[in-house]
Amino acid sequence: MGLGFIVGTLGVVLLSHAAYSTIQYRGLLKIMEEEFSGPPINVLLELVLGFVLCVYAGLTVPGKFQSIHPDSDENRIVSLPENLDFMIFNHRGRVVLSESDLKLKL
């Protein structure tokens, strides 16, 4: 559990509490027979803070981006998986590829 995960959890808790506070505030206004014009300022601040924390966690938790360049050293296969039974090279995609090659050669 890194810092980003803890920050994200705190952000979700703040967003949930802001939603609960808004629902509670609307219930109080119904009892007092007043019209709902929007949530209080402290709920809005809690909502913005929770959103910022969730965005921060969303950007930091996934980790390091991988290179998409085909010639990059990071994309090389270091070892094959232990169970080679599931690696199938004879499939119907080979037939489709060979038919399109024939069309291109004509």
Side-chain angles (χ1 to χ4, degrees), residues 57-72:
L59 292 174
T60 58
V61 168
K64 183 181 152 201
F65 289 112
Q66 299 293 324
S67 174
I68 61 169
H69 298 293
D71 298 329
S72 176

Side-chain angles (χ1 to χ4, degrees), residues 10-94:
L10 181 63
V12 169
V13 168
L14 282 175
L15 288 176
S16 300
H17 186 265
Y20 178 75
S21 296
T22 302
I23 292 169
Q24 198 174 28
Y25 179 69
R26 287 188 74 175
L28 180 66
L29 289 179
K30 284 182 182 178
I31 291 172
M32 295 173 39
E33 296 179 356
E34 293 182 15
E35 192 172 312
F36 180 75
S37 60
I41 192 70
N42 61 348
V43 174
L44 291 175
L45 290 174
E46 188 175 6
L47 184 70
V48 170
L49 181 65
F51 176 73
V52 168
L53 291 177
C54 286
V55 167
Y56 172 78
L59 292 174
T60 58
V61 168
K64 183 181 152 201
F65 289 112
Q66 299 293 324
S67 174
I68 61 169
H69 298 293
D71 298 329
S72 176
D73 290 334
E74 296 174 1
N75 292 341
R76 302 291 175 216
I77 297 175
V78 177
S79 63
L80 292 174
E82 292 180 20
N83 192 356
L84 298 177
D85 294 337
F86 293 104
M87 295 182 71
I88 300 171
F89 297 104
N90 283 333
H91 52 80
R92 61 182 171 205
R94 183 179 63 181

